[in-house]
Amino acid sequence: FYENEEGTAGTGGGGSSGQSGACVPFEVTITADYWPKENTWTVENTKSGEVIAEGENDLLIPGEAVKYPVECINDKLGCYMFTIKDSGGDGMCCEHGSGSYTAKYDGEVIKTGSSFYDDEKVPFGLCGVSEAPTASPQKATVSSGTSTGGIAFRCVPKPLIQGGYMISVDKCMNFVDCYNPHINIGDDW
């Protein structure tokens, strides 16, 4: 079911993957922009490719926070990908309203956002390979390169920036000929 400020209605996706066990809660709250029918979200098991939770846009209302039901992810050892999509390609903020979203896993916020293009993704759970602990502390090597790892980002035109559009800090450093006055990062024109 979906829950909004007036009560509950509808049904949600769901499922489980991997180990049976206690429910690890996954929660999504969306405040839609003026085009709520453009927004959907999914949680995918990265190993199997199975979509184990999803949220449709049937009950989204512009400017109103809608809290989707808590989904149970029954494999705490799995790696998952949360994806929020905007079929209009303009994200949830700011040219067409002040929409936003928050995703939580096991009670912790894994991502809050609003400014993106077609979609925004964040891995969560037990992703990646961890090395065994060493007997004594080791110094970490920090890379200062500017490579985006093969990921390309579209730049936002200056008129859109002047109109109040914001770029998330983690993306702005990857832009060329781009500046975001709200976070004071990027190239200056």
Side-chain angles (χ1 to χ4, degrees):
F1 68 94
Y2 301 97
E3 180 180 329
N4 61 23
E5 293 174 1
E6 284 76 42
T8 60
T11 60
S16 64
S17 175
Q19 288 182 356
S20 299
C23 171
V24 181
F26 181 81
E27 305 169 64
V28 176
T29 302
I30 294 178
T31 300
D33 63 5
Y34 299 141
W35 300 99
K37 297 296 180 195
E38 295 178 348
N39 303 124
T40 58
W41 61 268
T42 59
V43 173
E44 178 183 330
N45 178 317
T46 61
K47 186 175 180 181
S48 70
E50 175 189 8
V51 173
I52 60 170
E54 60 188 339
E56 297 298 325
N57 52 26
D58 293 340
L59 295 177
L60 294 177
I61 299 169
E64 182 179 317
V66 173
K67 183 176 180 180
Y68 287 81
V70 173
E71 297 284 349
C72 283
I73 297 180
N74 295 327
D75 181 3
K76 190 163 184 158
L77 301 178
C79 177
Y80 306 97
M81 181 68 69
F82 169 73
T83 304
I84 187 158
K85 296 180 181 180
D86 185 284
S87 63
D90 59 358
M92 301 172 78
C93 180
C94 297
E95 190 174 331
H96 301 290
S98 295
S100 63
Y101 71 91
T102 300
K104 293 181 181 180
Y105 178 65
D106 204 12
E108 299 290 323
V109 173
I110 59 167
K111 185 72 176 165
T112 296
S114 60
S115 298
F116 59 95
Y117 292 102
D118 301 314
D119 62 31
E120 193 159 62
K121 299 177 181 230
V122 62
F124 67 96
L126 194 59
C127 301
V129 178
S130 297
E131 295 182 23
T134 59
S136 60
Q138 305 291 312
K139 284 191 172 186
T141 306
V142 178
S143 171
S144 61
T146 58
S147 170
T148 62
I151 299 172
F153 297 99
R154 289 183 270 176
C155 191
V156 177
K158 190 172 184 178
L160 195 54
I161 293 292
Q162 291 169 334
Y165 193 87
M166 293 184 279
I167 303 167
S168 65
V169 175
D170 63 327
K171 301 259 188 314
C172 198
M173 295 181 340
N174 298 315
F175 289 95
V176 176
D177 297 327
C178 177
Y179 182 72
N180 187 331
H182 301 285
I183 57 176
N184 210 19
I185 292 178
D187 297 336
D188 198 359
W189 279 287

